[in-house]
Amino acid sequence: MCIPAAALNATFTVAADGTAYNASIEVENADRYTFIERGLLGERIPKEVDSIRVSGPAGAVAFEDRGRGSITFPEGNYTITYRGFISDSSLQADFDQPYMVTVVLPAGLDVRNPFLGVISPGGEVTEEEDGAVIIAWETARFVEVRFYDDLRERALLIFGSFWIILCAIFILPYLIFRQKRQ
C-alpha cells in the first residue's frame, strides 16, 4: 500500500496596490531554488525578486545568490520568503513538483468576473469577511491569477452598457421598419 506524500505549501500575498507580492515557499531536501516564471512561449525565464530569506528549524540560513534567479544553500528543509513584482495585474508561479498553493488578494482586488479575471484550472475562490479574496489549489505545478480592481469592473460595466444601448438604437428602427413592411 502506497501512502501519498503531503504536498508542500506556497503562499502568495498580493500588496494592496497590486504591484508586488510576498511569497512563502516550502522546500524539502533541497540545496537550491530558482525563481522562475513562464514567458510568452511557455519558456522558463528568471523572475526579478528581492528581500530573499531562507529559514530553517533553527532560524535564518545563509544562502548564495548564483544570479539568473537562482540561490543555493546547505541541503535541508526550508521556507523561502521573498518579494516579487507584478506586471499587468498577473501573478504566475511555476513549481518543479505539486504544491498546495494559496494566493491572497486584498480587499479591492478580485478575480471572479470571467471577462476580467483569470484563474488557472483547479483554483477555488473564497471571500473573507474583510473583503479579501483567497484562491487555493490542492495540488498544482503552475498557477496563474490575473486580477482586477473596482475601477476596471466599473469601466467594463459602462462599456458593456454603452454597446447594448448602441445596439438597441440601431436594431429597434430596423425591427419597426421591417414590421411595417409586412
Side-chain angles (χ1 to χ4, degrees), residues 88-91 105 109-120 125 133 135 144-149 152-153 156:
D88 300 328
S89 301
S90 182
L91 171 66
L105 298 175
L109 300 177
D110 207 339
V111 295
R112 292 174 285 186
N113 186 321
F115 294 111
L116 296 171
V118 170
I119 305 168
S120 57
V125 180
V133 175
I135 306 108
E144 180 178 16
V145 173
R146 187 174 68 223
F147 54 89
Y148 55 89
D149 58 8
R152 285 188 192 168
E153 192 166 28
L156 176 66

Side-chain angles (χ1 to χ4, degrees), residues 11 38 46 52-53 87 96 144 173:
T11 303
R38 291 189 182 176
I52 302 168
R53 182 182 163 146
S87 63
D96 57 353
E144 180 178 16

Side-chain angles (χ1 to χ4, degrees), residues 2 24 30 34 50 65 68 100 125 134 138 167 171:
C2 183
S24 175
T34 305
D50 65 10
D65 188 348
R68 302 220 11 99
M100 289 179 58
V125 180
I134 311 293
E138 287 294 319
C167 286
I171 291 175

